[in-house]
Amino acid sequence: LPQRKFVLTSPVRAIEELARNTYRLSIYAPEIARTCRPGNFINVLVPHCEEIYWRRPFSIHQKNSQEGTIDIFFVAVGRGTNALKDLQPGNFLDVIGPLGNRFDYPSTMKEAIAVAGGSGIAAFQFLLQDLKSWSGQKTLFYGSKSAQNFCCLEEFRELGAELHLSTEDGSKGEKGLVTDALESYLKTNDNNKGRELFVCGPTPMLKKVQEMTQQIGISAQVSVENKMACGFGACMGCPVTIAHPQPGGKKYWLACKDGPVFPINEILLDD
Ligand SMILES: Cc1cc2nc3c(=O)[nH]c(=O)nc-3n(C[C@H](O)[C@H](O)[C@H](O)COP(=O)(O)OP(=O)(O)OC[C@H]3O[C@@H](n4cnc5c(N)ncnc54)[C@H](O)[C@@H]3O)c2cc1C
Ligand code: FES
């Protein structure tokens, strides 16, 4: 059944700077907290910015059903996110959600491996929260430029995840790209049966994971971060290209409605 979406004016409960330029914003949105699933997102109207017409999409980072709150986690990269970072508790935010599909847990899953690059980590707190009482192995590969960009590490451990950190400058964890660490893990622990990858990050990282999963033969779901407008399938503004069975053929899905979570082997990633 399609999920019901709510249009809410939600009070901001808290905002914290987790790392340089990286924020966690908590809002009171009980209807969304009650019904959202890992992978879903909300579409946020940037307040007091009439020149920003389109809403900005953010994954649901975590929820607290008892308190009726949901959090988003974002990096301030442009006009919208820089306006959101200045919100204060008590301000109001116009949000639509929950939107999009969710991560899928195959019944054969024995190990859930989340793979995040930079702000791609946002959705995985909720995934780990959802899997907290699940008895399988939870593993998180998390890459960033430098040690000071990492967020929520203790929280991920408390949710039962085994952490594998990578930094490009070698200041924490393994030096190199997160995909290097993932590749050696998948190749050394060569029984990949029952492993499911959940992936979010910049396009070069997604391409590398796509290549690796095809070589190794392992299933992966990717959450894409396309530009969006309406967020629910009305404007056709967020196409994702998928390979069509005919040679050289293509087909289009909508990131907001058919996604944002897709099987990694079905989508064609842009250069
Ligand atoms: C389903 C979904 C979930 C998302 N979840 C999160 C999340 O949890 N946390 C988070 O930090 N971001 C997330 N994003 C990305 C987020 O929506 C953008 O960062 C945001 O819209 C930028 O708005 P802005 O006005 O600050 O930037 P703009 O002023 O619009 O753009 C500033 C710069 O950022 C680049 N940019 C804009 N949008 C994106 C994008 N989608 N991906 C990469 N670069 C972009 C632009 O090309 C430009 O260079 C998500 C995107 C989607 C589609
Ligand atoms: S954002 Fe409008 S159709 Fe996807």
Side-chain angles (χ1 to χ4, degrees):
L1 276 180
Q3 216 171 353
R4 180 169 169 206
K5 59 177 181 293
F6 299 91
V7 183
L8 305 176
T9 305
S10 296
V12 171
R13 278 288 160 83
I15 179 150
E16 54 180 324
E17 188 169 8
L18 297 173
R20 201 168 150 263
N21 242 9
T22 309
Y23 299 85
R24 175 152 62 191
L25 175 74
S26 185
I27 60 171
Y28 179 68
E31 295 86 344
I32 301 178
R34 209 177 49 240
T35 53
C36 64
R37 297 284 177 265
N40 287 164
F41 67 96
I42 59 171
N43 216 6
V44 174
L45 190 66
V46 179
H48 318 298
C49 278
E50 271 154 33
E51 73 277 18
I52 303 187
Y53 182 68
W54 296 115
R55 289 169 181 267
R56 301 300 195 243
F58 297 95
S59 299
I60 296 173
H61 167 66
Q62 62 181 356
K63 68 161 182 175
N64 185 328
S65 312
Q66 270 156 9
E67 303 270 324
T69 57
I70 55 164
D71 294 0
I72 58 170
F73 168 111
F74 63 92
V75 178
V77 290
R79 287 179 309 157
T81 42
N82 273 298
L84 291 176
K85 80 174 194 317
D86 293 330
L87 285 168
Q88 298 294 320
N91 291 158
F92 286 89
L93 201 57
D94 181 325
V95 302
I96 304 179
L99 295 168
N101 65 354
R102 56 163 301 170
F103 292 115
D104 178 49
Y105 309 139
S107 58
T108 50
M109 182 168 84
K110 292 205 173 67
E111 180 179 4
I113 304 180
V115 187
S119 63
I121 193 70
F124 294 137
Q125 180 109 342
F126 190 11
L127 180 87
L128 291 170
Q129 200 179 36
D130 198 47
L131 290 173
K132 194 169 181 201
S133 53
W134 177 66
S135 60
Q137 158 84 20
K138 284 153 278 189
T139 311
L140 172 63
F141 284 83
Y142 182 10
S144 77
K145 286 201 162 39
S146 188
Q148 71 260 25
N149 302 108
F150 283 127
C151 298
C152 315
L153 299 183
E154 213 32 62
E155 296 174 23
F156 296 133
R157 286 195 188 98
E158 276 166 24
L159 291 169
E162 178 188 295
L163 259 58
H164 296 257
L165 305 176
S166 304
T167 49
E168 287 173 35
D169 66 3
S171 52
K172 198 174 175 83
E174 243 179 78
K175 186 173 193 304
L177 298 173
V178 66
T179 45
D180 300 334
L182 176 68
E183 188 163 31
S184 56
Y185 182 81
L186 295 179
K187 285 190 170 159
T188 23
N189 301 276
D190 60 350
N191 184 6
N192 286 312
K193 212 164 155 232
R195 284 184 164 155
E196 187 73 18
L197 300 189
F198 301 92
V199 190
C200 188
T203 308
M205 179 194 122
L206 303 183
K207 283 191 154 177
K208 181 73 196 156
V209 178
Q210 190 179 51
E211 206 182 284
M212 203 186 304
T213 52
Q214 274 160 6
Q215 267 174 16
I216 298 176
I218 183 169
S219 157
Q221 302 168 38
V222 58
S223 179
V224 299
E225 295 202 330
N226 285 39
K227 288 230 161 175
M228 286 186 181
C230 72
F232 49 82
C235 72
M236 313 304 252
C238 60
V240 172
T241 319
I242 61 155
H244 194 258
Q246 283 165 352
K250 287 179 183 175
K251 217 171 104 177
Y252 295 96
W253 278 337
L254 294 174
C256 66
K257 187 164 143 285
D258 304 312
V261 180
F262 295 98
I264 204 167
N265 58 357
E266 290 185 17
I267 62 173
L268 298 176
L269 294 162
D270 292 334
D271 286 315

